[in-house]
mmCIF file of all heavy atoms in Angstrom:
data_model
loop_
_atom_site.group_PDB
_atom_site.id
_atom_site.type_symbol
_atom_site.label_atom_id
_atom_site.label_comp_id
_atom_site.label_asym_id
_atom_site.label_seq_id
_atom_site.Cartn_x
_atom_site.Cartn_y
_atom_site.Cartn_z
ATOM 1 N N LEU A 1 0.875 -1.200 0.022
ATOM 2 C CA LEU A 1 -0.026 -0.017 0.049
ATOM 3 C C LEU A 1 0.830 1.278 -0.080
ATOM 4 O O LEU A 1 0.467 2.334 -0.581
ATOM 5 C CB LEU A 1 -0.915 0.024 1.186
ATOM 6 C CG LEU A 1 -1.945 -1.062 1.206
ATOM 7 C CD1 LEU A 1 -2.833 -1.077 2.512
ATOM 8 C CD2 LEU A 1 -2.866 -1.087 -0.104
ATOM 9 N N LEU A 2 1.994 1.276 0.670
ATOM 10 C CA LEU A 2 2.876 2.436 0.692
ATOM 11 C C LEU A 2 3.454 2.624 -0.750
ATOM 12 O O LEU A 2 3.677 3.824 -1.102
ATOM 13 C CB LEU A 2 4.060 2.246 1.695
ATOM 14 C CG LEU A 2 3.596 2.603 3.139
ATOM 15 C CD1 LEU A 2 4.764 2.278 4.020
ATOM 16 C CD2 LEU A 2 3.274 4.063 3.157
ATOM 17 N N PHE A 3 3.657 1.538 -1.537
ATOM 18 C CA PHE A 3 4.116 1.754 -2.904
ATOM 19 C C PHE A 3 3.102 2.629 -3.650
ATOM 20 O O PHE A 3 3.451 3.585 -4.358
ATOM 21 C CB PHE A 3 4.254 0.394 -3.585
ATOM 22 C CG PHE A 3 4.680 0.538 -5.050
ATOM 23 C CD1 PHE A 3 5.950 0.809 -5.441
ATOM 24 C CD2 PHE A 3 3.678 0.386 -5.980
ATOM 25 C CE1 PHE A 3 6.267 1.008 -6.814
ATOM 26 C CE2 PHE A 3 3.940 0.591 -7.329
ATOM 27 C CZ PHE A 3 5.337 0.866 -7.726
ATOM 28 N N PHE A 4 1.779 2.336 -3.503
ATOM 29 C CA PHE A 4 0.778 3.087 -4.197
ATOM 30 C C PHE A 4 0.818 4.518 -3.700
ATOM 31 O O PHE A 4 0.702 5.458 -4.435
ATOM 32 C CB PHE A 4 -0.686 2.506 -3.913
ATOM 33 C CG PHE A 4 -0.906 1.142 -4.576
ATOM 34 C CD1 PHE A 4 -1.720 0.304 -3.909
ATOM 35 C CD2 PHE A 4 -0.390 0.845 -5.778
ATOM 36 C CE1 PHE A 4 -1.954 -0.963 -4.481
ATOM 37 C CE2 PHE A 4 -0.595 -0.475 -6.410
ATOM 38 C CZ PHE A 4 -1.444 -1.316 -5.683
ATOM 39 N N TYR A 5 0.950 4.667 -2.390
ATOM 40 C CA TYR A 5 0.977 5.992 -1.747
ATOM 41 C C TYR A 5 2.175 6.864 -2.318
ATOM 42 O O TYR A 5 2.009 8.031 -2.628
ATOM 43 C CB TYR A 5 0.968 5.846 -0.263
ATOM 44 C CG TYR A 5 0.970 7.110 0.537
ATOM 45 C CD1 TYR A 5 -0.235 7.867 0.727
ATOM 46 C CD2 TYR A 5 2.058 7.557 1.152
ATOM 47 C CE1 TYR A 5 -0.242 9.015 1.400
ATOM 48 C CE2 TYR A 5 2.088 8.806 1.841
ATOM 49 C CZ TYR A 5 0.917 9.414 1.983
ATOM 50 O OH TYR A 5 0.869 10.683 2.705
ATOM 51 N N GLU A 6 3.310 6.161 -2.309
ATOM 52 C CA GLU A 6 4.526 6.959 -2.678
ATOM 53 C C GLU A 6 4.647 7.284 -4.159
ATOM 54 O O GLU A 6 5.442 8.047 -4.563
ATOM 55 C CB GLU A 6 5.806 6.113 -2.247
ATOM 56 C CG GLU A 6 5.917 6.151 -0.670
ATOM 57 C CD GLU A 6 6.868 5.074 -0.169
ATOM 58 O OE1 GLU A 6 7.401 4.280 -0.863
ATOM 59 O OE2 GLU A 6 7.055 5.049 1.074
ATOM 60 N N THR A 7 3.897 6.501 -4.948
ATOM 61 C CA THR A 7 3.871 6.710 -6.421
ATOM 62 C C THR A 7 2.535 7.257 -6.924
ATOM 63 O O THR A 7 2.295 7.132 -8.092
ATOM 64 C CB THR A 7 4.296 5.472 -7.180
ATOM 65 O OG1 THR A 7 3.226 4.437 -6.896
ATOM 66 C CG2 THR A 7 5.721 4.890 -6.862
ATOM 67 N N LYS A 8 1.766 7.826 -6.058
ATOM 68 C CA LYS A 8 0.395 8.283 -6.432
ATOM 69 C C LYS A 8 0.398 9.292 -7.516
ATOM 70 O O LYS A 8 -0.646 9.456 -8.124
ATOM 71 C CB LYS A 8 -0.307 8.683 -5.214
ATOM 72 C CG LYS A 8 0.052 9.926 -4.550
ATOM 73 C CD LYS A 8 -0.721 10.122 -3.172
ATOM 74 C CE LYS A 8 -2.162 10.359 -3.355
ATOM 75 N NZ LYS A 8 -2.854 10.464 -2.059
ATOM 76 N N LYS A 9 1.474 10.036 -7.670
ATOM 77 C CA LYS A 9 1.495 11.048 -8.711
ATOM 78 C C LYS A 9 1.564 10.415 -10.095
ATOM 79 O O LYS A 9 1.525 11.134 -11.020
ATOM 80 C CB LYS A 9 2.538 12.126 -8.409
ATOM 81 C CG LYS A 9 3.961 11.666 -8.568
ATOM 82 C CD LYS A 9 4.943 12.827 -8.322
ATOM 83 C CE LYS A 9 6.413 12.396 -8.370
ATOM 84 N NZ LYS A 9 7.243 13.514 -8.193
ATOM 85 N N TYR A 10 1.871 9.097 -10.044
ATOM 86 C CA TYR A 10 1.958 8.404 -11.422
ATOM 87 C C TYR A 10 0.943 7.326 -11.509
ATOM 88 O O TYR A 10 1.251 6.157 -11.864
ATOM 89 C CB TYR A 10 3.310 7.756 -11.578
ATOM 90 C CG TYR A 10 4.552 8.568 -11.274
ATOM 91 C CD1 TYR A 10 5.438 8.210 -10.282
ATOM 92 C CD2 TYR A 10 4.786 9.810 -11.885
ATOM 93 C CE1 TYR A 10 6.485 8.921 -9.934
ATOM 94 C CE2 TYR A 10 5.866 10.546 -11.609
ATOM 95 C CZ TYR A 10 6.799 10.144 -10.591
ATOM 96 O OH TYR A 10 7.822 10.850 -10.319
ATOM 97 N N PRO A 11 -0.345 7.568 -11.181
ATOM 98 C CA PRO A 11 -1.242 6.460 -11.065
ATOM 99 C C PRO A 11 -1.416 5.513 -12.204
ATOM 100 O O PRO A 11 -1.518 4.381 -12.050
ATOM 101 C CB PRO A 11 -2.594 7.214 -10.786
ATOM 102 C CG PRO A 11 -2.506 8.585 -11.272
ATOM 103 C CD PRO A 11 -1.015 8.912 -11.108
ATOM 104 N N ASP A 12 -1.538 6.002 -13.431
ATOM 105 C CA ASP A 12 -1.683 5.121 -14.519
ATOM 106 C C ASP A 12 -0.726 5.371 -15.739
ATOM 107 O O ASP A 12 -0.933 4.771 -16.708
ATOM 108 C CB ASP A 12 -3.134 5.335 -15.103
ATOM 109 C CG ASP A 12 -4.205 4.806 -14.127
ATOM 110 O OD1 ASP A 12 -3.930 3.696 -13.547
ATOM 111 O OD2 ASP A 12 -5.173 5.472 -13.817
ATOM 112 N N SER A 13 0.267 6.137 -15.456
ATOM 113 C CA SER A 13 1.168 6.562 -16.627
ATOM 114 C C SER A 13 2.006 5.286 -17.079
ATOM 115 O O SER A 13 2.337 5.338 -18.229
ATOM 116 C CB SER A 13 2.165 7.584 -16.109
ATOM 117 O OG SER A 13 1.414 8.701 -15.723
ATOM 118 N N PHE A 14 2.214 4.313 -16.215
ATOM 119 C CA PHE A 14 3.071 3.266 -16.530
ATOM 120 C C PHE A 14 2.308 2.116 -17.343
ATOM 121 O O PHE A 14 2.823 1.285 -17.979
ATOM 122 C CB PHE A 14 3.828 2.624 -15.371
ATOM 123 C CG PHE A 14 5.046 3.408 -15.039
ATOM 124 C CD1 PHE A 14 4.966 4.380 -14.039
ATOM 125 C CD2 PHE A 14 6.240 3.189 -15.589
ATOM 126 C CE1 PHE A 14 6.115 5.113 -13.694
ATOM 127 C CE2 PHE A 14 7.373 3.851 -15.346
ATOM 128 C CZ PHE A 14 7.256 4.844 -14.346
ATOM 129 N N TRP A 15 1.011 2.111 -17.206
ATOM 130 C CA TRP A 15 0.243 0.847 -17.557
ATOM 131 C C TRP A 15 -0.254 0.776 -19.002
ATOM 132 O O TRP A 15 -0.392 -0.328 -19.547
ATOM 133 C CB TRP A 15 -0.900 0.651 -16.550
ATOM 134 C CG TRP A 15 -0.310 0.378 -15.266
ATOM 135 C CD1 TRP A 15 -0.488 1.192 -14.138
ATOM 136 C CD2 TRP A 15 0.515 -0.666 -14.829
ATOM 137 N NE1 TRP A 15 0.265 0.715 -13.087
ATOM 138 C CE2 TRP A 15 0.886 -0.436 -13.506
ATOM 139 C CE3 TRP A 15 0.990 -1.789 -15.506
ATOM 140 C CZ2 TRP A 15 1.728 -1.315 -12.751
ATOM 141 C CZ3 TRP A 15 1.776 -2.670 -14.758
ATOM 142 C CH2 TRP A 15 2.173 -2.437 -13.390
ATOM 143 N N PRO A 16 -0.468 1.852 -19.681
ATOM 144 C CA PRO A 16 -1.045 1.633 -21.070
ATOM 145 C C PRO A 16 0.037 0.985 -22.029
ATOM 146 O O PRO A 16 -0.465 0.144 -22.880
ATOM 147 C CB PRO A 16 -1.344 3.087 -21.613
ATOM 148 C CG PRO A 16 -1.519 3.862 -20.365
ATOM 149 C CD PRO A 16 -0.599 3.252 -19.276
ATOM 150 N N ALA A 17 1.221 1.216 -21.943
ATOM 151 C CA ALA A 17 2.218 0.742 -22.930
ATOM 152 C C ALA A 17 2.453 -0.721 -22.828
ATOM 153 O O ALA A 17 2.713 -1.355 -23.875
ATOM 154 C CB ALA A 17 3.545 1.531 -22.785
ATOM 155 N N PRO A 18 2.548 -1.383 -21.711
ATOM 156 C CA PRO A 18 3.028 -2.811 -21.733
ATOM 157 C C PRO A 18 2.231 -3.732 -22.614
ATOM 158 O O PRO A 18 2.820 -4.764 -23.090
ATOM 159 C CB PRO A 18 2.933 -3.191 -20.254
ATOM 160 C CG PRO A 18 2.847 -1.961 -19.554
ATOM 161 C CD PRO A 18 2.319 -0.953 -20.328
ATOM 162 N N HIS A 19 0.952 -3.480 -22.851
ATOM 163 C CA HIS A 19 0.179 -4.260 -23.714
ATOM 164 C C HIS A 19 0.632 -4.376 -25.075
ATOM 165 O O HIS A 19 0.348 -5.352 -25.781
ATOM 166 C CB HIS A 19 -1.318 -3.858 -23.600
ATOM 167 C CG HIS A 19 -1.858 -3.750 -22.201
ATOM 168 N ND1 HIS A 19 -2.013 -4.935 -21.420
ATOM 169 C CD2 HIS A 19 -2.075 -2.745 -21.488
ATOM 170 C CE1 HIS A 19 -2.351 -4.551 -20.257
ATOM 171 N NE2 HIS A 19 -2.480 -3.272 -20.147
ATOM 172 N N GLN A 20 1.408 -3.458 -25.510
ATOM 173 C CA GLN A 20 1.918 -3.491 -26.835
ATOM 174 C C GLN A 20 3.413 -4.063 -26.930
ATOM 175 O O GLN A 20 3.973 -4.064 -28.051
ATOM 176 C CB GLN A 20 2.061 -1.976 -27.389
ATOM 177 C CG GLN A 20 0.791 -1.216 -27.283
ATOM 178 C CD GLN A 20 -0.335 -1.857 -28.010
ATOM 179 O OE1 GLN A 20 -0.161 -2.289 -29.138
ATOM 180 N NE2 GLN A 20 -1.505 -1.823 -27.389
ATOM 181 N N MET A 21 3.883 -4.494 -25.778
ATOM 182 C CA MET A 21 5.286 -4.972 -25.772
ATOM 183 C C MET A 21 5.277 -6.357 -25.115
ATOM 184 O O MET A 21 5.155 -6.496 -23.936
ATOM 185 C CB MET A 21 6.132 -4.048 -24.805
ATOM 186 C CG MET A 21 6.317 -2.644 -25.216
ATOM 187 S SD MET A 21 7.167 -1.749 -23.900
ATOM 188 C CE MET A 21 6.699 -0.094 -24.328
ATOM 189 N N PRO A 22 5.452 -7.377 -25.974
ATOM 190 C CA PRO A 22 5.412 -8.729 -25.366
ATOM 191 C C PRO A 22 6.507 -8.989 -24.330
ATOM 192 O O PRO A 22 6.189 -9.666 -23.385
ATOM 193 C CB PRO A 22 5.757 -9.607 -26.721
ATOM 194 C CG PRO A 22 5.332 -8.687 -27.858
ATOM 195 C CD PRO A 22 5.636 -7.305 -27.356
ATOM 196 N N GLU A 23 7.710 -8.371 -24.524
ATOM 197 C CA GLU A 23 8.715 -8.659 -23.458
ATOM 198 C C GLU A 23 8.344 -8.025 -22.104
ATOM 199 O O GLU A 23 8.509 -8.617 -21.066
ATOM 200 C CB GLU A 23 10.057 -7.960 -23.941
ATOM 201 C CG GLU A 23 11.151 -8.208 -22.846
ATOM 202 C CD GLU A 23 12.469 -7.528 -23.354
ATOM 203 O OE1 GLU A 23 12.683 -7.143 -24.447
ATOM 204 O OE2 GLU A 23 13.385 -7.519 -22.466
ATOM 205 N N MET A 24 7.731 -6.793 -22.258
ATOM 206 C CA MET A 24 7.286 -6.172 -20.952
ATOM 207 C C MET A 24 6.130 -7.006 -20.279
ATOM 208 O O MET A 24 6.086 -7.153 -19.121
ATOM 209 C CB MET A 24 6.829 -4.738 -21.278
ATOM 210 C CG MET A 24 6.498 -3.940 -20.052
ATOM 211 S SD MET A 24 7.905 -3.673 -18.939
ATOM 212 C CE MET A 24 7.113 -4.016 -17.427
ATOM 213 N N MET A 25 5.189 -7.443 -21.104
ATOM 214 C CA MET A 25 4.108 -8.250 -20.579
ATOM 215 C C MET A 25 4.652 -9.492 -19.884
ATOM 216 O O MET A 25 4.135 -9.988 -18.855
ATOM 217 C CB MET A 25 3.101 -8.641 -21.660
ATOM 218 C CG MET A 25 2.272 -7.498 -22.166
ATOM 219 S SD MET A 25 1.326 -6.742 -20.818
ATOM 220 C CE MET A 25 0.214 -7.966 -20.281
#
């Protein structure tokens, strides 16, 4: 939960891209 709290200014910025990258997925 602290991870979410400490990175709350980036709530969804990291998640759209991985679906286009097999290695990242």
